[in-house]
Amino acid sequence: MTKRPGFLVYGLLTAFILGSAAPLYWSFLIGSHTKEVITRDTPPLLPGGHFFENAQRVFDSVPFWKAFGNSLMVSSVAATSVVFFGTLAGYAFAKLRFRGSTPLLVFVVVTMAVPTQLGVVPLFIVMAKLGWTGSVWAAIIPTIVTAFGVFFMRQYLVDAVPDELIEAARVDGCSMFRTFWTVAVPAARPAMAVLWLFTFMMVWTDFFWPLIVLPAENPTVQVALNQLQSGYFKDYALVLAGTTLATIPLLVLFVVTGRQFVAGIMQGAVKG
């Protein structure tokens, strides 16, 4: 018989959930009060009734909806591109035999240890020469493929796609790309869903690179939130109301795709 989790397990899970939800609750809590209430010696513990008022102030202070659209476009395009190219390259490393595959894979893995900041200056020069600075394409192009995506999909496809299926497809006359599309992609869908969510969240919350290449008139959400605290006096009710608004799309995304997300992680955990 399977042993049921005990009180300690449920207690640890409850503490973990409360600890994870605390920053979001605190952001909503502060964002629902006025700045006068926040500056009191005793901080509030229950939400106030000024969240929508503070949200309207966010909309009036920065181009929030334009920033929201930019972030949605950048994150969606980047996540879809990373999944496609990561799956394509991962399939090649996992199932195709070609000269230099192992050194190339090692090189891909090693690049994950290189700090992103080291490539900022040359990357900015390239974007400036192409005339893309100030455009959302300058935020999209550097993220269309990642070493993590390639390595993640390679590790999944090694066991997810049997060599016999690939050989059978090739015997039936399938081209290399058709074999990838009809055999590897259906088997890799759980991992692709996980990678898409991770990449979307990573790009959505990215602040450093969009701050460099995008102007104040054409920002992403994170850059727009930074504009809310650019003055000498920081209105934390305004800032955290904007932070809560920027977090809502991620919450909706995880609620909608939570089942696929968990299924992808669980299937990857039992491989082999």
Side-chain angles (χ1 to χ4, degrees):
M1 296 179 62
T2 303
K3 185 178 180 180
R4 296 185 60 183
F7 176 79
L8 179 60
V9 174
Y10 283 112
L12 291 175
L13 288 175
T14 302
F16 178 78
I17 293 173
L18 292 177
S20 301
L24 179 61
Y25 177 74
W26 182 255
S27 297
F28 175 74
L29 178 67
I30 300 301
S32 64
H33 285 280
T34 61
K35 57 184 178 182
E36 291 78 15
V37 175
I38 299 172
T39 54
R40 294 176 182 173
D41 294 335
T42 304
L45 298 178
L46 296 177
H50 298 276
F51 180 78
F52 292 105
E53 176 185 337
N54 291 333
Q56 186 60 50
R57 291 171 56 209
V58 171
F59 302 150
D60 296 337
S61 301
V62 296
F64 182 84
W65 291 115
K66 186 174 185 178
F68 182 89
N70 287 342
S71 287
L72 187 62
M73 175 183 176
V74 172
S75 301
S76 300
V77 173
T80 303
S81 176
V82 165
V83 168
F84 176 74
F85 289 113
T87 306
L88 197 63
Y91 172 76
F93 281 121
K95 294 301 176 180
L96 303 184
R97 300 293 177 262
F98 57 93
R99 183 177 300 177
S101 61
T102 301
L104 281 175
L105 181 61
V106 172
F107 176 77
V108 169
V109 174
V110 169
T111 59
M112 290 192 290
V114 179
T116 305
Q117 291 77 5
L118 291 180
V120 165
V121 173
L123 188 58
F124 182 83
I125 293 174
V126 172
M127 294 296 133
K129 288 185 178 296
L130 293 174
W132 289 349
T133 54
S135 169
V136 292
W137 289 108
I140 292 175
I141 295 302
T143 59
I144 59 175
V145 61
T146 62
F148 172 77
V150 174
F151 181 71
F152 178 81
M153 294 307 303
R154 186 266 176 192
Q155 294 300 103
Y156 186 87
L157 288 169
V158 165
D159 296 324
V161 181
D163 294 335
E164 292 77 10
L165 285 180
I166 298 175
E167 294 173 359
R170 298 294 290 168
V171 169
D172 288 341
C174 291
S175 64
M176 188 66 67
F177 184 79
R178 186 178 179 186
T179 302
F180 161 76
W181 192 256
T182 57
V183 176
V185 169
R189 282 177 182 171
M192 292 168 68
V194 173
L195 180 60
W196 195 95
L197 287 171
F198 277 155
T199 305
F200 185 94
M201 183 175 63
M202 179 188 70
V203 178
W204 181 273
T205 57
D206 187 23
F207 171 72
F208 182 66
W209 178 244
L211 178 66
I212 294 174
V213 296
L214 296 179
E217 300 78 19
N218 191 34
T220 58
V221 167
Q222 308 305 323
V223 178
L225 293 179
N226 182 64
Q227 297 175 16
L228 294 176
Q229 54 180 350
S230 59
Y232 179 77
F233 174 78
K234 294 180 176 59
D235 188 345
Y236 288 104
L238 181 66
V239 173
L240 291 179
T243 302
T244 304
L245 292 173
T247 309
I248 290 175
L250 296 180
L251 295 177
V252 173
L253 181 65
F254 275 98
V255 168
V256 173
T257 61
R259 187 183 299 274
Q260 291 81 359
F261 181 75
V262 174
I265 292 179
M266 293 303 297
Q267 288 193 27
V270 298
K271 289 296 177 185

